[in-house]
Amino acid sequence: MTTSFGGARLWAGALFVAFVAPVLAEPPADVKKADDKKAIKKAEPSKFLRVKRDEKKQPVGLETATVRYVPANGEGELVVDLIGVVHVGDKDYYQKLNKQMEQYDVVLYELVGPEGAKPPKGGRKNADNPLAMIQQMAKIMLELDFQLEQVDYTKKNFLHADLSPEQMAEAIKARGDDGTTLFLGVVADMLRQQNVQNMKGKDGPKEADIDLGELLLDADRAAKLKRVMAEQFEKLDDPNAGFGKTISTILIEDRNKAAMKVFQKEIAKGKKKVAIFYGAAHMPDFEKRLRDDFGLKRDSDQWLQAWDLRLGQRKKNPIEDILKMLID
C-alpha cells in the first residue's frame, strides 16, 4: 500500500494531537506592563521548534528551544523561561531537560488531570488498554521515548498548571461544542490545510509515494517517519500549515489561560526564576501573553536536539521489536 507525503502529513498531524491530548487579573506591582505596547506587539515571534539540516540540506535533527524573557523596562529580577518540548523524544533529550529544570524556583508543567496531579516517576506501566497499546507501538516504530516516562515530575519545584478534565469539558461546552463537533472541526481544519498545500501547484514541493509495507521492514523507517513528522512540526507557526483553529483553541488557548493564572500566583509569592514547561505548540501563545500582559521581552534562546533524523543509524529489523511487544 502506498500513500503520498500529503497523506503522511495528515497522519503526522493526527499523531501529534494524540500525543498532546487531551480576562487575567492585573499583574503584581513588581511586574509592570511595558509603556510601549506597540513596540512589543511588533516584535518578531520566536521559534520554538526547528529542523537542523546538513550541508546537503538533508534533515539531521529536530530541535526545541528554551526562550528566556525578562522585564522590558529593565526593572525587577524576574526571569521566565519558556521550555518548548515534544512529547516523544530521545531518552538523552529528556535527561538533559531534567538537569536543566533543577535551576528554577518553580517549573509549571502541563497535564490534563486533577489539580496538583503528578505523574509517578518512570510513568505508568499499565498497558492494558487500546490507547496504551497504540502508544507503545508508535514508540517502537519511531524509536523514541515518552515524556511522561522520562521526565521526573516528583521534583519539589514542579507545579501542576493545567486544566482538569472537568474544566476542559466545561470550556468546550461553554463554546457550544461537543465531541462530535470537535472531531468534525479537527478533520475540517486538517483537510483545509491539505487543500492549501495542494493548491500550491508547480511551485509547491514535489511529493513522493511511500510504500508502508516496505517501510515497516526498512531499518531506516523510524528516521524516515520522523522526518515527515518533523517537517510538519516545524510549520506550527504557519497558519496555513499548522493544526488548525479547533486544536489551537481547545488544546492551547484554554489551557494556556489556566497556566498563566498559576504563573501569576507564583510570581506574586516572590518566585523570581520561573519555567513554563509545555509542548512547543503552546509557546507562541505563551510568548504573546508574557509580552502583552506582563511586559516581558525575549532575552535569549538555547536549542536542544529532541530527535536524531540521520539515516543509516539502525541495523536491526524493526519488526522484531513489534513482535516482542505483542508476545510480552
Side-chain angles (χ1 to χ4, degrees):
M1 177 176 65
T2 61
T3 181
S4 70
F5 263 54
R9 278 200 296 268
L10 286 176
W11 172 84
L15 185 56
F16 173 81
V17 175
F19 284 139
V20 172
V23 175
L24 289 171
E26 288 294 318
D30 62 338
V31 183
K32 300 177 182 178
K33 291 187 177 181
D35 295 328
D36 189 0
K37 294 192 71 175
K38 290 184 178 180
I40 294 175
K41 288 183 178 179
K42 290 180 180 179
E44 193 71 22
S46 301
K47 286 184 67 68
F48 293 90
L49 194 151
R50 70 185 183 189
V51 174
K52 183 179 180 181
R53 301 176 187 277
D54 61 18
E55 63 279 0
K56 297 180 179 179
K57 305 300 182 183
Q58 293 300 306
V60 295
L62 177 70
E63 299 180 328
T64 62
T66 295
V67 182
R68 174 159 294 183
Y69 301 83
V70 297
N73 57 18
E75 299 179 7
E77 301 176 358
L78 181 65
V79 172
V80 181
D81 282 359
L82 293 182
I83 306 177
V85 295
V86 287
H87 300 321
V88 285
D90 295 328
K91 184 176 293 186
D92 180 64
Y93 168 66
Y94 294 119
Q95 290 175 346
K96 290 177 180 177
L97 284 173
N98 280 328
K99 184 66 177 177
Q100 175 184 335
M101 289 185 286
E102 293 176 356
Q103 66 180 283
Y104 301 102
D105 296 333
V106 63
V107 176
L108 307 182
Y109 66 88
E110 67 171 308
L111 180 69
V112 178
E115 184 177 352
K118 276 194 179 240
K121 194 170 183 178
R124 301 189 185 281
K125 301 301 182 183
N126 63 311
D128 55 354
N129 63 76
L131 178 57
M133 178 68 73
I134 292 172
Q135 288 178 331
Q136 288 303 314
M137 290 188 69
K139 175 179 173 180
I140 291 173
M141 288 295 294
L142 296 173
E143 295 177 10
L144 296 171
D145 284 281
F146 286 110
Q147 177 179 315
L148 290 177
E149 295 176 355
Q150 298 299 327
V151 172
D152 185 1
Y153 289 86
T154 65
K155 295 288 183 67
K156 290 183 179 180
N157 64 338
F158 270 54
L159 181 63
H160 182 237
D162 206 336
L163 293 174
S164 69
E166 293 78 16
Q167 289 170 329
M168 179 173 279
E170 289 174 3
I172 292 171
K173 186 177 180 181
R175 284 192 302 273
D177 283 319
D178 56 28
T180 301
T181 60
L182 290 180
F183 174 78
L184 293 175
V186 170
V187 172
D189 285 342
M190 296 179 77
L191 289 175
R192 188 179 303 113
Q193 290 147 21
Q194 184 60 42
N195 288 337
V196 170
Q197 294 296 319
N198 291 340
M199 286 190 295
K200 288 182 177 179
K202 295 181 180 180
D203 295 330
K206 293 182 179 180
E207 299 181 345
D209 285 338
I210 298 176
D211 189 310
L212 295 181
E214 290 182 5
L215 188 63
L216 186 63
L217 300 174
D218 189 340
D220 274 332
R221 58 100 181 90
K224 290 178 179 178
L225 285 173
K226 285 186 289 189
R227 283 184 171 193
V228 173
M229 296 180 69
E231 296 283 359
Q232 181 71 29
F233 289 179
E234 191 179 34
K235 299 174 183 177
L236 284 175
D237 291 336
D238 181 351
N240 292 325
F243 294 111
K245 189 178 188 310
T246 304
I247 295 175
S248 179
T249 301
I250 306 250
L251 296 183
I252 296 177
E253 294 177 17
D254 290 344
R255 296 168 63 196
N256 283 14
K257 287 180 183 178
M260 293 309 289
K261 289 179 181 178
V262 178
F263 168 76
Q264 186 169 326
K265 289 179 181 178
E266 290 303 303
I267 59 176
K269 292 176 184 177
K271 301 291 174 62
K272 298 299 182 184
K273 195 169 186 180
V274 181
I276 299 179
F277 178 55
Y278 257 73
H282 289 258
M283 293 308 172
D285 179 75
F286 273 134
E287 179 177 70
K288 185 177 186 302
R289 293 174 191 275
L290 290 177
R291 285 173 168 168
D292 294 352
D293 298 326
F294 293 90
L296 303 183
K297 67 175 182 178
R298 181 178 63 198
D299 180 65
S300 60
D301 59 49
Q302 63 182 33
W303 291 87
L304 187 62
Q305 180 170 294
W307 295 358
D308 185 346
L309 301 179
R310 294 173 299 164
L311 300 179
Q313 301 300 303
R314 197 180 199 276
K315 305 302 180 184
K316 186 179 178 183
N317 190 327
I319 200 70
E320 296 177 16
D321 291 337
I322 298 176
L323 291 174
K324 185 178 183 299
M325 183 198 73
L326 295 174
I327 292 172
D328 292 345

